[in-house]
Amino acid sequence: MKHFLSERLIQCPSTLLSQLTAVKPVATAIVAADHPIALDSARQAFDAGVIQPVLIGGLAKISGAAEHIGWDISSFECIEANGESEAAEEGARLAHAGSVNMIMKGHIHTDAFMRPLLAKGSGIRAGRRLSHVFHMSLPDRDDSLLLTDCALNVAPDIETRIAIIENAIELSQKLGCFRPRVALLAASEVVVDAMPITKECQQLTEYFAKRDIAAEVFGPLAFDNVVSETSAQLKGIDHSVAGNADIIVVPTIETGNALFKMMVYFMSACAGGIVLGGSVPVLLTSRADPAAARLASAALGAISSR
């Protein structure tokens, strides 16, 4: 199964990059930049005009990795940090102080990277719940889809799901969708006691219907009714969100993780992902991500930081 790394995938971030024309590159801390893959992610984003990198990690290792990939980093700020904890704390300090406007995960474990960012009083908490969003784009298609939360909140309660929805709506509006349609995913479009998530979706629909918010939020909806207008009509669902979702809110992290990976591996989708709700956007890039996905994440973060 190799088609998901095809040349078509390389074009997927183009819709995001087109929104960054004439925008100044975003000062971005690369935490644990002392690895060729981490540096290569930074280089791609820099070459695309998305970021102005601040490299954090062991300086000797950073220099060696830069030489390995053939990148001249002499003009960039480099900050010495020994080990994962020190690098993560330095990145959080820069973000908290406003010295950078975005922070990117380098060659570091996610828990070590996120721990100082989540610390009260010294991290990036800004009075809102943090949540993760994937921007999914497909080759040869102009439209895209936001999936949330597929990577951070494990089994969100109602209050957390409200914050997840609000974060995604704000990002969607920054992407130019000024009244996004938000689908609340479940296994059925019918509210039944045996599936508590369907009742939660109904409660969220009622909650947002009473809010003065530039979005349409509706659920529960099974996946076919989220993406197919025909399927929704056959089931008698008459709502503008049905079959036309701009944002899909998943019930649990397992659902979201499986859904985004199926789109990547089976449909050659490009998944650019960021953490929202903090004082700066956070890029949770992975060594397993293809180059296009890492670049899409950087572009998405830069758009969010505006």
Side-chain angles (χ1 to χ4, degrees):
M1 190 182 301
K2 297 180 180 179
H3 65 282
F4 72 101
L5 291 178
S6 68
E7 288 300 316
R8 296 189 306 152
L9 185 62
I10 304 301
Q11 304 304 316
C12 288
S14 60
T15 54
L16 290 172
L17 293 173
S18 66
Q19 297 190 40
L20 290 171
T21 55
V23 175
K24 185 178 179 181
V26 179
T28 303
I30 317 299
V31 175
D34 42 15
H35 190 278
I37 293 179
L39 270 188
D40 191 49
S41 296
R43 176 172 65 176
Q44 290 176 45
F46 173 76
D47 288 345
V50 177
I51 72 169
Q52 179 63 32
V54 177
L55 306 175
I56 303 171
L59 296 187
K61 289 184 177 181
I62 291 175
S63 295
E67 185 176 350
H68 178 77
I69 67 171
W71 190 25
D72 180 7
I73 61 170
S74 59
S75 63
F76 303 139
E77 181 180 1
C78 296
I79 299 175
E80 178 80 51
N82 296 310
E84 289 192 344
S85 294
E86 190 173 323
E89 288 171 4
E90 182 61 27
R93 184 190 67 80
L94 292 174
H96 182 75
S99 301
V100 296
N101 301 112
M102 190 156 64
I103 188 162
M104 177 187 291
K105 175 179 173 286
H107 189 63
I108 181 173
H109 290 95
T110 300
D111 57 346
F113 172 66
M114 291 297 298
R115 190 175 300 115
L117 292 173
L118 298 177
K120 293 183 178 180
S122 59
I124 62 166
R125 291 185 183 274
R128 297 168 62 182
R129 180 80 185 200
L130 300 184
S131 63
H132 187 275
V133 174
F134 275 118
H135 175 279
M136 308 298 297
S137 53
L138 292 164
D140 307 321
R141 290 184 61 172
D142 294 331
D143 56 336
S144 58
L145 187 68
L146 296 183
L147 299 181
T148 189
D149 180 337
C150 308
L152 189 61
N153 291 290
V154 176
D157 57 16
I158 287 282
E159 185 177 347
T160 301
R161 283 161 65 82
I162 289 172
I164 288 170
I165 293 166
E166 290 173 339
N167 286 345
I169 289 172
E170 181 178 306
L171 176 62
S172 184
Q173 291 169 342
K174 287 183 178 181
L175 289 166
C177 183
F178 299 113
R179 191 174 180 82
R181 292 161 292 198
V182 184
L184 306 177
L185 183 64
S188 170
E189 69 281 358
V190 179
V191 177
V192 292
D193 292 338
M195 287 188 284
I197 192 65
T198 59
K199 182 64 176 179
E200 286 191 13
C201 290
Q202 182 186 55
Q203 291 171 338
L204 288 167
T205 298
E206 294 170 352
Y207 172 83
F208 280 99
K210 298 174 183 177
R211 292 272 305 276
D212 183 17
I213 188 168
E216 297 176 73
V217 180
F218 183 72
L221 287 171
F223 187 75
D224 56 335
N225 306 319
V226 171
V227 297
S228 170
E229 206 170 351
T230 300
S231 176
Q233 290 172 350
L234 287 171
K235 292 185 177 182
I237 304 171
D238 183 19
H239 195 280
S240 59
V241 172
N244 297 290
D246 302 300
I247 300 168
I248 299 178
V249 181
V250 301
T252 65
I253 196 171
E254 293 87 359
T255 304
N257 186 273
L259 180 56
F260 106 81
K261 286 181 178 175
M262 283 188 281
M263 291 182 69
V264 169
Y265 282 82
F266 291 154
M267 302 173 65
S268 295
C270 179
I274 61 171
V275 175
L276 300 170
S279 57
V280 300
V282 178
L283 315 184
L284 285 179
T285 54
S286 168
R287 286 172 291 175
D289 288 339
R294 285 181 268 142
L295 181 55
S297 295
L300 189 65
I303 292 168
S304 176
S305 72
R306 293 188 297 198

